Amino acid sequence: MITLENIPNECKTDHLFLLVGANPLPNFVAALLLRKLGSTFYLLQTQQTLAIAENLRDRILGRYPEHKFELKQVDTADGEAIRAVITDQLRHIPPRASVGLNYTGGTKTMAVHAYRAMEQARSDTIFTYLDAQTLSLHIDGDSGEPGRSVSVSKLCNVDLETLMKLHGYERFQGKISPNLTQQNRLEIVKTIVALTIDISSYVQWKEYIAQRPLERLPDLSQWPLLSPFVQIVQSICGASADTSQLSMFLGLGEKSSACRSWLQGGWLEEYALDALNSVRKACNLT
């Protein structure tokens, strides 16, 4: 494997085929890394990934409106249909125009059929793949030549707003308690973590959150080991707090079911985020 510092210009093609799967991020990165001025992108998507393909198109056009897009629906398991769609598109591409296929997205079946179709129809196709393990762009070798790779971890930063829109998410617009602070949330989360690490308190915690509906804080006569949780919630939300007030404090609304869902495991994502934030500089996380 030959390691390069920059992406060779010959790998940036006039026409780039992308296979759309459930995760749009690799295709977004590949499109930005391999595009040329005025490139045309061909998004091969299934019926289930149409919305993802549209989000991908819109986000790229938001940055580079000069590009063109063709969205083509295929059956992920129908090799002949995939071959027919690709062959039809290639007929409309001038022989002198450069063509590429990034086969990171989509299913393995889609990747195999698309690769074979492109290889047979256009022997000059540039084949690339994004390696999530090494954060590098792999460029396949031609006619027995060794492949090449380029580290791309710092070549295409994606901000949170773009990542959300790629997945079709919107920022939460609900009302959050004016007394809410991230430190308060983490105090509650870390208290839950401590309870779930100890087997005795974990058993009582599981019994408590299994209640339907979950309207009150734990009854300490029944679950005495959950006293730290009751104390931290009451210190933050008030001495007479119940799960409804806790739910409002967390910005989940008034429904006890939302609070129950958060207590059952929703807190784990916040704990994981705090853990990542604690090492983000050392690990170069953005």
Side-chain angles (χ1 to χ4, degrees), residues 202-211 222-223:
Y202 173 70
V203 171
Q204 293 192 9
W205 178 256
K206 290 288 286 184
E207 291 177 356
Y208 166 64
I209 61 174
Q211 295 184 104
Q222 183 177 0
W223 299 296

Side-chain angles (χ1 to χ4, degrees), residues 17-30:
F17 287 75
L18 300 169
L19 312 177
V20 181
N23 182 7
L25 182 59
N27 279 327
F28 182 75
V29 172

